[in-house]
Amino acid sequence: MTTQETFEEGKVLLIDKPLHWTSFDVVRKIRNLIKIKKVGHAGTLDPLATGLLIVCTGKFTKKINQFMAQEKEYTGQITLGAVTPTYDLESEPRDFKSIDGITPKLIAEAAQNFIGEILQTPPIHSAIKQKGKPVYLQARKGIDVIIEPRKISIKSFEITAIEMPVVSFKVVCSTGTYIRSLANDFGAALGCGGHLSELRRTRIGNFKAEDAMSIVKFEASLENEK
């Protein structure tokens, strides 16, 4: 069986998505490398996020929904004292507020309030579709976008370090959770605003980022098989 035929039969690839790449950039690159069209990913990572991206090829693309439904784990950083329209650093911080009086105790208490089943409103700058079009296209034009809150589950929200104004965290959550929205809501709960300044997906179900390979290593592995 050729390498191409192997990928058509189906493989699950664990890729460590590079910074500034979209999830579809990864899919497109893999399609070009393995020379088959049937390639898809199990859960989008924003361009400014890194970490685990599950990519399925060939017949295994049928497993995508199964993988997408699994629990996710992320690590990252929230910068307090300002918000951004996209809830991350894809847009410029604004509405600066003082972080004086924001203590580690207040930060820990705020994090605890997000644990459990909660309603979360996704960012208007996201790929969620309304009338068949991603809402971010409307948002970029300055058109008001209304997205209904969705029920999600935060299993744990651990504060791992505080170096003001930066708060480091680890979150375990259900599918459909927007960590950007969590960062924005967390800042609002503290009364000073906040935005996501770093994000890495470390786990999907039992699949871990430490077992993922870079695009460069994946390409090299194909060269070795020739």
Side-chain angles (χ1 to χ4, degrees), residues 46 83-92 123 125 180-181 195:
D46 290 329
V83 298
T84 77
T86 56
Y87 301 168
D88 64 7
L89 287 173
E90 282 216 51
S91 52
E92 291 296 315
H125 290 268
R180 283 186 285 152
S181 287
H195 57 274

Side-chain angles (χ1 to χ4, degrees), residues 183-198:
N184 182 74
D185 295 345
F186 180 71
L190 287 167
C192 61
H195 57 274
L196 188 66
S197 47
E198 187 176 296

Side-chain angles (χ1 to χ4, degrees), residues 101-150:
I102 306 293
T103 64
K105 184 173 183 288
L106 286 173
I107 288 169
E109 286 172 354
Q112 285 297 309
N113 289 335
F114 287 95
I115 295 172
E117 278 201 348
I118 62 171
L119 285 175
Q120 183 187 72
T121 303
I124 59 170
H125 290 268
S126 66
I128 289 170
K129 290 186 177 178
Q130 288 182 355
K131 296 179 182 176
K133 293 183 179 179
V135 293
Y136 71 82
L137 295 176
Q138 299 288 87
R140 283 178 182 173
K141 293 175 184 175
I143 298 169
D144 285 340
V145 177
I146 297 171
I147 303 177
E148 292 300 317
R150 302 173 173 201

Side-chain angles (χ1 to χ4, degrees), residues 49-199:
T50 63
L52 181 60
L53 190 71
I54 296 178
V55 177
C56 298
T57 76
K59 294 176 183 177
F60 278 23
T61 52
K62 292 175 182 175
K63 297 176 181 278
I64 283 175
N65 287 342
Q66 172 191 324
F67 293 136
M68 284 181 74
Q70 295 183 13
E71 182 180 86
K72 316 263 189 322
E73 179 186 274
Y74 298 88
T75 59
Q77 294 182 342
I78 298 167
T79 299
L80 299 175
V83 298
T84 77
T86 56
Y87 301 168
D88 64 7
L89 287 173
E90 282 216 51
S91 52
E92 291 296 315
R94 63 189 190 189
D95 297 338
F96 291 87
K97 289 182 181 173
S98 171
I99 55 171
D100 292 346
I102 306 293
T103 64
K105 184 173 183 288
L106 286 173
I107 288 169
E109 286 172 354
Q112 285 297 309
N113 289 335
F114 287 95
I115 295 172
E117 278 201 348
I118 62 171
L119 285 175
Q120 183 187 72
T121 303
I124 59 170
H125 290 268
S126 66
I128 289 170
K129 290 186 177 178
Q130 288 182 355
K131 296 179 182 176
K133 293 183 179 179
V135 293
Y136 71 82
L137 295 176
Q138 299 288 87
R140 283 178 182 173
K141 293 175 184 175
I143 298 169
D144 285 340
V145 177
I146 297 171
I147 303 177
E148 292 300 317
R150 302 173 173 201
K151 189 179 283 187
I152 59 154
S153 178
I154 305 286
K155 187 176 179 179
S156 67
F157 186 2
E158 179 188 347
I159 304 302
T160 55
I162 300 171
E163 291 182 31
M164 294 297 276
V166 177
V167 176
S168 300
F169 66 86
K170 181 165 82 171
V171 166
V172 178
C173 57
S174 66
T175 188
T177 302
Y178 279 85
I179 307 299
R180 283 186 285 152
S181 287
L182 181 62
N184 182 74
D185 295 345
F186 180 71
L190 287 167
C192 61
H195 57 274
L196 188 66
S197 47
E198 187 176 296
L199 186 66

